[in-house]
C-alpha cells in the first residue's frame, strides 16, 4: 500500500502527470515549449548573466526585444508600455541573520505594463516579478531563466488571448536579485508605478522544477484565498510558512510584502532539482518536464483572479482609515491535496475545527462508560486513554531517535558521510526500517496495555479494551498536537486535524466490521485502514516532499566545524525520515500493531537496516547529477594600485565531507597543489573567514578552509591597476572630537566586478551609506566588531563616501573586490576537479587601509 502511495506521490511532485504543451499549440494557451525556447536563449546562447558581465546587458536587450514583439500584436483596446529603468540606492538590511549595508547604482530593470486603453496610472495593478540575473558561475536556466520565460509567455498569452485586463498587469524583469534583492529594492524605492500595486506574485526557483509551491503569502490571507480559488494545479500549504523562516534563504518577496511595500502577494518557488541550484549544472536540459507548464497555467489563472477581484487596492486605498478587509486574517489555514484540489479556511474557523478533536478525546471516556459503568469507570477509562497517548508519543519519538542513533553508529564505521546524497533511495532504505522498529518497539514490549478498567464489568476481552485505549490514546496525541499548533499561532495543525478526523471514520468502520469479522482479523484491520488511506496518502505526499527537499539542499548547508559538524547532515536526514515515517505509519499502529509488532517482522526490519548500513559504504556520495560544491578563490593581496603583495588559492567546501575527502578522491587536484599523502589539517595553512569577505555572509558557511600558494605573474600582465581606496579631500574634525574622513574607492582596471565589500573596524559612529545610518556590528572568529557594506554597480566609476569616527582611534577599512575573470593557471586548476565537483571559481582582490 505504501509502495503504491509512494509511486503516486513521486509522479505528483515531479509533475509527471502534467503534459507540457508544444510550440505549435493555439496562441490562447500557455506553452511550456515556447517558454523553454526563451530559457535556451538566456542560459545557453547568452549565458553569463551575472552583475558585471556583458551577458546581463544582452539578456536585458533580449527581454526588451521580446516585449516589443508582443506590443506590436496588441489590439486597439489594450495599452502596452515598456520601460527600462536604471536604479540606484543605498539601504541597510538583515540578511540571513547578518546586518549589512548595501549601496548600488545603474542596475537594470525592464518593465511592461498591460492595461485597457481607458486605465489610469493610479488604478490598482497586479505585479509579476522575475529576475534575469544569475549567481556566480551558473547559467541560471531554472534560477531564474525559467521565471523570466514564464513571464514572457504570460505577456504573449495576455495579448494573444484577447483578454483585456480590467486592472493593469505589470511585469517586472529585475536585473539584480542574486546580489541581495537590489533590483526589487530599486523598483520599490524609485518607480512611479510602485504605489499602484494592489497584489504581486514573485517567481523563484531553488531547483529545476517539480512542485511550484506557494512558500510565503501575505500580508493577510487574501492572496492565498485568491490562489486557492483560481490555481489549476494548486501547490500550496500554510505549513511551509512555519518552515520557511528556518531555511537560510530569502527572496524578492520581502521587498514587496515586508520591507517596503506591505503589498499582498505570493512567493511561488520551484522546489525540486535542488542539486543544480546555484551550480554550473543549472542548464536547460535539467528542467523537469511539465513544471513550467503547471507554473504557467497556475500563474495566468491567478493573475486573472487578482485583476478581476474587487479587493485589489492601491497603496492609498489600503492605507485609508475606512478600509476593511474580509481576508485580513494572517493565520489562515490552507493546503493542497496532491495538487488535485485545495482546502482553505480562516483562523476563526480553525479555532472551532481544531478544538473539536481534543474535546472529543476529553468527552469520550464519559460517553463510553458513564451510563453503563459509573463515574469511577469513566476516570479509569480516561487514565487508560492517557497511557495509550503516552505510549504513542514514545513510539513517535523512538521513530525519530532510532534512525538518528543508527546514522551516528554508521558514521563511526564509515570513512565519509552523506552517502545518500547522490542516491536518495538510500536514505529511505537506511532510515525507514529502523524508524519502523522504533515505532513498533512500545507495542512489542507492551503487547497488552496495563488497564485500570475492570474488564469483567465491561464484558469485553482484555485485548479489545487494550486496543481501544491505544486507539483513543493515539487520537488524543494527534488532537493535542492540533491544539498546540493552534495555541502557538502556527498553521500546520491541519495535518494532525486531518489525521484525527480520518481516525474517527476509521474507528467507526472498524467497529462496524467487528460485527462480521473477529476483533483481530485481517478483515477488521482492512476496514480500519481503508478510511485512513486519503490521510495516509497526504502524509506520504507531505513527508516525501519534505525529505526530498532537504536531501537535495544538504549539499549546500555549510561545513560545520568538527567534531560534530561531520555528523550533522546524516543526523538531520535521519530525523526528517523518522518524522515522515512516524507520521505516515503512526495512525495505523493502534489497531494494526498486533500484526506488525511481531518478532519476525522486527527481525526482518533489523536485518534490512544492517544490510543497508553495510551497503551504504559502497555508495559514493556525489555524482554529476548530485555534485559536491567547491569554492575556489584566487586571492590577491594588493598594495597601492599596482602592486601584488601575495597570491594564494583559497579552497572551501559547503558540506560535511571536508577538503581531505576532496583531495583524496581528486588526485590530479592534489598533485597540482602539491598535496602529499601525509597532508593533514594540523600541518596545513588554514584560510580565515575574512579571506572570503568578498562573498560575505556566505563565508560563514565555511570551516577548515585551506590556503595554497599561487603565482601572481599573469594578473600583473592582465591588469594595470588594482582596486584602491584613498582620501579625496582633507578630513574634518568637529568640536566634540569626532572626525570625518572623505574617501574614494577605485576598482582599478578590473573587467567583470560582481561586488566590492567594505569591512570597517574601529570607532565608526556614522557614514554616508544608507541615509547616514550604520548597521549593527558583526564579529568573525573573535575579531573586532565589523561594519559591512556591499557596493554593486558600474565599475568604471569611482565610489565616493565618508566615514565618521567618534574618537581619534584608527579606522581600519578592508576592501575585498570580487572579479569574475580567472587567469589561465586558475582555469587550469578548475578543470582538474572531477566531474562530480561543481567549482565556483573567482578572483578576489584584497587590500587594507588605516585612516
Amino acid at each position: 500500500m505504501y509502495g503504491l502511495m509512494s509511486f503516486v506521490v513521486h509522479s505528483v511532485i515531479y509533475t509527471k502527470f502534467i503534459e507540457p504543451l508544444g510550440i505549435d499549440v493555439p496562441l490562447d494557451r500557455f506553452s511550456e515549449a515556447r517558454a523553454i525556447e526563451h530559457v535556451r536563449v538566456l542560459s545557453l546562447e547568452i549565458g553569463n548573466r551575472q552583475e558585471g558581465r556583458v551577458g546581463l546587458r544582452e539578456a536585458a536587450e533580449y527581454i526588451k526585444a521580446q516585449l516589443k514583439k508582443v506590443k506590436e500584436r496588441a489590439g486597439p483596446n489594450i495599452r502596452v508600455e515598456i520601460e527600462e529603468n536604471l536604479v540606484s540606492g543605498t539601504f541597510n538590511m538583515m540578511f540571513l541573520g547578518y546586518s549589512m549595508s548595501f549601496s548600488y547604482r545603474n542596475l537594470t530593470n525592464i518593465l511592461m505594463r498591460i492595461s485597457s486603453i481607458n486605465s489610469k496610472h493610479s488604478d490598482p495593478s497586479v505585479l509579476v516579478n522575475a529576475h534575469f540575473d544569475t549567481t556566480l558561475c551558473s547559467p541560471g536556466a531554472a534560477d531564474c531563466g525559467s521565471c523570466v520565460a514564464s513571464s514572457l509567455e504570460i505577456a504573449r498569452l495576455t495579448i494573444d488571448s484577447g483578454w483585456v485586463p480590467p486592472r493593469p498587469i505589470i511585469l517586472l524583469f529585475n536585473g539584480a536579485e542574486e546580489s541581495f534583492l537590489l533590483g526589487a529594492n530599486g523598483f520599490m524605492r524609485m518607480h512611479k508605478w510602485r504605489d499602484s500595486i494592489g497584489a504581486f506574485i514573485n517567481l523563484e526557483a531553488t531547483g529545476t522544477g517539480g512542485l511550484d509551491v506557494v512558500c510565503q503569502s501575505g500580508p493577510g490571507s487574501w492572496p492565498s484565498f485568491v490562489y486557492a480559488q483560481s490555481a489549476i494545479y494548486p501547490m500550496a500549504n500554510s505549513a511551509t510558512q512555519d518552515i520557511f523562516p528556518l531555511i537560510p534563504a530569502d527572496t524578492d518577496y520581502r521587498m514587496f510584502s515586508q520591507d517596503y511595500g506591505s503589498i499582498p502577494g505570493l512567493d511561488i518557488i520551484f522546489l525540486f532539482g535542488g542539486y543544480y541550484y546555484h551550480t554550473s549544472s543549472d542548464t536547460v536540459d535539467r528542467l523537469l518536464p511539465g513544471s513550467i507548464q503547471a507554473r504557467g497555467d497556475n500563474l495566468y489563472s491567478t493573475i486573472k483572479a487578482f485583476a478581476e477581484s474587487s479587493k485589489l487596492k492601491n497603496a492609498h486605498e489600503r492605507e485609508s482609515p475606512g478600509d476593511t478587509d474580509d481576508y485580513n486574517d494572517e493565520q489562515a489555514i490552507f493546503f493542497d491535496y496532491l495538487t488535485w484540489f485545495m482546502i482553505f479556511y480562516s483562523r476563526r474557523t480553525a479555532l472551532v475545527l481544531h478544538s473539536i478533536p481534543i474535546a472529543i478525546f476529553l468527552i469520550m471516556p464519559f460517553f463510553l462508560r458513564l451510563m453503563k459503568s459509573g463515574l469511577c469507570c469513566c476516570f479509569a477509562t480516561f487514565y487508560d486513554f492517557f497511557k495509550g497517548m503516552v505510549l504513542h508519543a514514545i513510539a513517535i519519538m523512538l521513530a525519530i531517535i532510532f534512525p538518528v542513533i543508527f546514522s551516528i553508529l554508521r558514521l563511526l564505521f564509515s570513512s565519509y558521510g552523506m552517502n545518500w546524497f547522490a542516491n536518495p533511495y538510500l536514505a529511505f532504505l537506511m532510515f525507514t526500517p529502523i524508524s519502523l522498529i522504533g515505532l513498533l518497539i512500545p507495542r512489542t514490549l507492551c503487547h497488552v496495555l496495563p488497564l485500570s478498567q475492570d474488564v469483567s464489568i465491561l464484558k469485553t476481552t482484555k485485548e479489545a479494551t487494550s486496543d481501544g485505549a491505544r486507539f483513543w490514546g493515539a487520537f488524543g496525541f494527534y488532537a493535542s498536537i492540533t491544539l498546540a499548533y493552534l495555541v502557538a499561532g502556527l498553521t500546520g495543525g491541519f495535518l494532525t486535524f486531518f489525521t484525527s478526523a480520518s481516525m474517527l471514520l476509521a474507528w467507526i468502520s472498524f467497529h462496524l466490521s467487528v460485527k462480521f469479522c473477529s476483533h483481530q482479523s485481517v478483515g477488521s484491520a482492512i476496514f480500519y485502514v481503508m478510511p485512513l488511506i486519503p490521510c495516509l496518502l497526504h502524509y506520504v505526499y507531505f513527508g516525501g516532499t519534505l525529505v526530498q527537499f532537504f536531501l537535495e539542499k544538504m549539499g549546500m548547508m555549510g561545513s560545520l566545524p568538527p567534531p560534530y559538524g561531520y555528523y550533522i547532515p546524516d543526523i538531520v536526514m535521519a530525523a526528517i525520515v523518522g518524522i515522515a515515517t512516524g507520521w505516515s505509519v503512526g495512525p495505523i499502529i493502534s489497531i494494526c500493531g498486533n500484526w506488525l509488532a511481531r518478532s519476525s517482522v522486527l527481525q526482518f526490519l533489523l536485518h534490512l537496516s544492517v544490510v543497508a548500513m553495510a551497503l551504504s559504504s559502497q555508495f559514493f556520495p556525489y555524482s554529476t547529477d548530485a555534485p559536491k560544491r567547491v569554492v575556489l578563490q584566487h586571492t590577491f593581496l594588493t598594495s597601492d594600485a599596482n602592486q601584488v603583495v601575495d597570491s594564494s588559492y583559497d579552497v572551501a567546501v559547503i558540506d560535511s565531507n571536508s577538503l581531505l575527502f576532496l583531495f583524496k578522491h581528486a588526485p590530479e587536484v592534489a598533485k597540482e597543489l602539491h598535496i602529499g599523502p601525509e597532508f593533514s589539517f594540523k600541518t596545513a595553512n588554514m584560510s580565515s573567514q575574512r579571506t572570503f569577505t568578498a562573498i560575505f555572509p556566505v563565508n560563514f558557511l565555511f570551516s577548515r578552509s585551506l590556503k595554497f600558494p599561487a603565482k601572481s605573474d599573469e594578473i600583473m600582465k592582465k591588469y594595470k591597476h588594482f582596486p584602491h581606496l584613498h582620501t579625496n579631500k582633507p578630513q574634518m574634525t568637529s568640536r566634540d572630537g569626532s572626525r570625518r574622513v572623505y574617501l574614494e574607492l577605485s576598482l582599478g582596471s578590473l573587467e567583470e566586478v560582481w561586488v566590492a565589500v567594505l569591512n570597517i573596524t574601529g570607532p565608526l559612529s556614522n557614514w554616508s551609506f544608507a541615509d547616514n545610518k550604520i548597521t549593527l556590528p558583526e564579529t568573525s572568529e573573535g575579531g573586532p566588531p565589523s561594519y559591512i557594506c556591499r557596493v554593486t554597480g558600474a565599475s568604471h566609476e569611482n565610489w565616493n563616501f565618508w566615514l565618521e569616527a567618534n574618537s581619534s582611534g584608527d579606522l581600519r577599512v578592508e576592501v575585498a573586490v570580487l572579479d569574475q575573470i580567472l587567469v589561465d593557471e586558475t582555469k587550469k586548476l578548475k578543470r582538474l576537479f572531477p566531474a562530480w565537483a561543481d567549482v565556483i571559481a573567482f578572483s578576489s582582490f584584497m587590500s587594507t587601509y588605516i585612516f
Side-chain angles (χ1 to χ4, degrees), residues 271-289:
L271 284 192
F272 296 119
Y275 291 124
Y276 317 116
Y277 175 61
H278 284 190
T279 72
S280 60
S281 298
D282 184 7
T283 52
V284 66
D285 57 298
R286 303 281 190 183
L287 295 174
L288 296 173

Side-chain angles (χ1 to χ4, degrees), residues 602-619:
L602 293 178
Q603 287 176 17
F604 169 74
L605 292 173
L606 182 59
H607 291 158
L608 188 59
S609 300
V610 173
V611 169
M613 181 170 69
L615 289 177
S616 66
S617 61
Q618 304 303 312
F619 289 86

